[in-house]
Amino acid sequence: MSAGYTVDEWGPVHAIPTFHKAGAGERTAPFGTAEHPIPLIIDSDPGLDDALAIGLAAASPEIQLLAVTTVGGNADVTRCTENALRLLHAYGRDDVPVAEGAAGALLGSIVRATEVHGESGIGSTTLEASTNAARPEGAVALIARLLETHPEPVAIAPIGPLTNIALLLRLYPHLSSRISHLCLMGGSIGEGNTTASAEFNIIADPEAADVVFRSGVPITMIGLDVTHQALLDRESAAALRALGTTSGRIAAELTEFALDRNLEWSGSTTTAIHDAVAVAHLMVPDLVAVAPYHVTVDTTQGPARGRTVCDGLPYRLRRDGRQPNADVGIVIDRGRFERLLVDAFARLP
Ligand code: BDR
Ligand code: CA
């Protein structure tokens, strides 16, 4: 199913500096319904927007949340693991197992985004401790076990650096066919956010991203081109707070922290909830329009390190004998996205 947007509706997407706009195509990602929820593992580095993405999944009958695994990214991995445990506790989902994964990239130095998300990863929000602990088997083994034992193929939403997913594909190559889809937040057709070339999740581990995009596993890349249209503002935060629940307060605080920072840095009155778009795409078939691209990750040490080079020009792909290896998000309905999030949080305690 395609989201039914036309190429002309790309008008407001200023972030894509390309003369060729690939038209919206049929999505390849599966999606869940209340009758047949999609089995999903979220691999995350919570993270302000990760926390909202996990809340969306935790609240939605279209998703069977099998696990949340963690990776170092926005904050140190031990903090991210503690955040995942505490968020699930606040969301009333202590039934969802958590396991800790890679502390940092496969190669090179560790990149963090604490200037964006705060030292703790979740701004200035404090969360009640969970009585659960992370599973001792670790993130990659837990994902492998779930892939092996779940009766149907499982979708993964990687919303942090791709280190765990690359390790999974290298350690358990026979399980790649058990992944129904990788709906990842990362990359950009256009400009990056950490550097002019690169988006954070990709530059935090470009070699891992390279393994993932070359893997042949079906991928949707929810990059900055679409996530910068998935915006919340002060009114959204007020609507979350007005829910009068613990989860609503948490979501409001996290959103306000991001809004304060954006206002200070750039005068912007909105904040992009990047990671929740990857989860939303697996729940709502016609929310995100995607186009097929061949995505290559720049792993050089130059100024384009971490860039996702997205080629969607049919002539060039034919000439070079390449096939698209990913659906790439291009358009989302902002109002519908905001309602989806607020409605989901309204179902949480
Ligand atoms: C991505 O980087 C992280 O800081 C966010 O959580 C999101 O996954 C956006 O570039
Ligand atoms: Ca993230």
Side-chain angles (χ1 to χ4, degrees):
M1 181 184 286
S2 117
Y5 302 97
T6 66
V7 172
D8 289 338
E9 288 174 74
W10 280 46
V13 189
H14 303 299
I16 307 180
T18 171
F19 71 91
H20 167 71
K21 291 175 176 175
E26 293 293 308
R27 62 179 286 152
T28 59
F31 57 90
T33 61
E35 296 70 40
H36 189 173
I38 184 168
L40 176 68
I41 298 168
I42 295 183
D43 186 63
S44 168
D45 58 340
L48 304 169
D49 55 331
D50 302 75
L52 273 82
I54 293 168
L56 176 61
S60 298
E62 297 86 356
I63 286 181
Q64 182 191 9
L65 187 56
L66 300 181
V68 174
T69 52
T70 63
V71 60
N74 288 325
D76 286 347
V77 72
T78 48
R79 302 246 199 188
C80 292
T81 306
E82 193 56 37
N83 292 344
L85 287 163
R86 290 180 182 223
L87 285 163
L88 286 166
H89 181 64
Y91 298 155
R93 293 299 308 268
D94 281 326
D95 59 301
V96 178
V98 171
E100 184 167 295
L106 299 178
L107 296 177
S109 53
I110 289 182
V111 181
R112 293 281 176 262
T114 45
E115 76 284 6
V116 178
H117 299 261
E119 217 34 62
S120 73
I122 49 168
S124 46
T125 295
T126 51
L127 300 171
E128 190 181 300
S130 166
T131 46
N132 281 352
R135 300 292 166 105
E137 65 193 309
V140 181
L142 174 62
I143 299 174
R145 184 166 60 75
L146 290 168
L147 290 175
E148 211 147 26
T149 56
H150 198 78
E152 55 183 303
V154 171
I156 305 178
I159 55 176
L162 287 159
T163 320
N164 289 341
I165 308 305
L167 290 169
L168 174 82
L169 294 168
R170 286 294 196 247
L171 282 165
Y172 305 93
H174 62 290
L175 292 180
S176 61
S177 61
R178 301 286 304 156
I179 304 172
S180 64
H181 205 85
L182 285 174
C183 190
L184 66 92
M185 191 284 132
S188 178
I189 303 169
E191 195 182 340
N193 56 0
T194 298
T195 69
S197 302
E199 181 278 333
F200 174 76
N201 288 339
I202 305 297
I203 204 165
D205 196 343
E207 282 72 23
D210 184 46
V211 168
V212 170
F213 278 100
R214 288 176 191 275
S215 68
V217 175
I219 293 175
T220 296
M221 178 181 120
I222 299 293
L224 298 176
D225 320 284
V226 68
T227 66
H228 277 153
Q229 304 164 53
L231 302 171
L232 295 188
D233 57 17
R234 298 266 164 206
E235 284 176 23
S236 331
L240 288 162
R241 196 175 283 282
L243 296 173
T245 57
T246 302
S247 300
R249 174 191 53 84
I250 292 169
E253 278 182 18
L254 298 171
T255 305
E256 284 159 0
F257 186 91
L259 286 167
D260 289 347
R261 188 211 57 218
N262 279 5
L263 189 63
E264 186 189 325
W265 284 6
S266 63
S268 161
T269 56
T270 57
T271 183
I273 310 298
H274 309 277
D275 292 339
V277 181
V279 170
H281 188 55
L282 296 171
M283 297 168 44
V284 187
D286 58 352
L287 178 66
V288 179
V290 296
Y293 278 91
H294 184 275
V295 181
T296 312
V297 180
D298 188 302
T299 54
T300 65
Q301 296 297 333
R305 179 166 174 77
R307 176 168 167 73
T308 46
V309 180
C310 299
D311 193 350
L313 185 65
Y315 158 73
R316 212 161 38 209
L317 291 173
R318 262 196 315 276
R319 183 196 64 192
D320 298 345
R322 290 191 300 191
Q323 301 291 327
N325 62 353
D327 285 353
V328 177
I330 51 175
V331 184
I332 187 171
D333 179 333
R334 172 182 171 184
R336 215 172 143 203
F337 172 75
E338 179 189 12
R339 284 192 296 281
L340 185 75
L341 270 181
V342 176
D343 290 350
F345 271 83
R347 293 191 292 272
L348 291 174

